[in-house]
Amino acid sequence: MKILVATGNPGKVKEYQEFFSELPVEFVSLNDVGITEECEETGDTLKENSLQKAQFYGDLSGLPAVADDAGLFVDVLEGRPGVYSSRYANSDEERMEKLLQELEKIPYNERGADFRLVTTLYYPDTKEHVSFEGKIRGIIAEEKKQLAQKGFGYDPIFYVPEEEKTFAEMMGEEKNAISHRGIAFRKLKKYLEK
Ligand code: IMP
């Protein structure tokens, strides 16, 4: 079975290829199938956005397509930046600075947040889809903490109390074992194994 990874990000394609490497599934990129069109992201939820991308590229290629969408949902900001996490400011550094500033006066016990990810697999022949969600609870740290430039996005300020570390202080497998992405991907894996 061939599945198109509906993203222009080569890192994400590699992630799918590695995570599902034991399965008899070949994950191909937009580049592999010669697609250069860009898909809009206009949904209000992670599920809508992931379905929008999977549907757009699935219909365009005729292949089953998988797409994911993730975001950081901060309690006291009523879920912001949420689906807009990647558009909250211009760079990872600026996004973290902006969030830390918004939470400047908020005490530790009110800094709770969720990282969530939804991955959707869409079949262009039947127009059916399945979606899987992963979620992890954490705290927005008061300052950045990371090991040797580890992590991406909001990793250096996402603190997991049970581990006593931020995402950016964890090794890859350590983060995968508990992260929103790891949880959603393991659900998709179970589904694909059937
Ligand atoms: P995307 O949908 O995977 O592109 O993620 C949307 C935004 O959430 C991006 O700005 C990412 O930096 C951020 N994000 C998603 N997952 C993570 C994570 O595991 N750590 C840090 N930031 C993340």
Side-chain angles (χ1 to χ4, degrees):
M1 183 188 188
K2 215 183 236 190
I3 297 179
L4 175 65
V5 186
T7 169
N9 179 344
K12 274 199 184 172
V13 180
K14 200 161 160 251
E15 211 171 46
Y16 276 90
Q17 287 166 338
E18 286 174 3
F19 193 93
F20 299 97
S21 61
E22 300 141 33
L23 301 182
V25 177
E26 187 191 349
F27 285 92
V28 295
S29 68
L30 294 178
N31 204 19
D32 292 333
V33 295
I35 290 179
T36 52
E37 282 90 338
E38 287 202 11
C39 175
E40 282 186 320
E41 272 185 44
T42 54
D44 292 328
T45 63
L46 298 178
K47 186 173 171 190
E48 277 169 34
N49 278 339
S50 67
L51 177 59
Q52 190 174 24
K53 290 181 275 188
Q55 225 163 15
F56 179 82
Y57 290 113
D59 285 336
L60 207 58
S61 65
L63 289 171
V66 70
D68 59 59
D69 202 38
L72 179 59
F73 295 75
V74 179
D75 298 352
V76 287
L77 301 179
E78 290 165 347
R80 281 194 297 114
V83 287
Y84 302 105
S85 293
S86 59
R87 293 164 271 177
Y88 185 52
N90 290 328
S91 66
D92 280 348
E93 283 305 315
E94 287 173 73
R95 287 187 272 274
M96 283 190 284
E97 280 313 318
K98 185 172 171 188
L99 192 53
L100 289 179
Q101 263 175 22
E102 280 206 80
L103 299 187
E104 208 181 353
K105 298 201 168 63
I106 306 294
Y108 179 85
N109 62 350
E110 291 172 29
R111 297 174 75 96
D114 287 336
F115 249 129
R116 292 186 211 156
L117 179 139
V118 175
T119 180
T120 295
L121 176 61
Y122 169 79
Y123 299 93
D125 47 353
T126 59
K127 310 285 181 207
E128 286 174 344
H129 70 272
V130 281
S131 294
F132 301 96
E133 186 183 22
K135 185 167 108 173
I136 175 169
R137 198 85 197 123
I139 305 276
I140 305 301
E142 282 171 4
E143 55 188 46
K144 288 183 270 178
K145 285 211 180 97
Q146 67 193 124
L147 275 181
Q149 302 303 309
K150 261 188 176 307
F152 76 103
Y154 299 88
D155 275 353
I157 59 169
F158 190 78
Y159 180 76
V160 183
E162 293 79 16
E163 307 292 323
E164 297 182 4
K165 285 177 189 174
T166 66
F167 264 176
E169 294 177 293
M170 295 180 193
M171 302 313 260
E173 301 100 68
E174 206 179 349
K175 181 181 164 187
N176 261 337
I178 57 168
S179 74
H180 50 312
R181 184 170 299 270
I183 294 167
F185 273 37
R186 281 191 289 280
K187 289 182 185 171
L188 175 61
K189 192 173 192 178
K190 262 203 183 139
Y191 168 84
L192 288 171
E193 279 165 352
K194 285 196 250 150

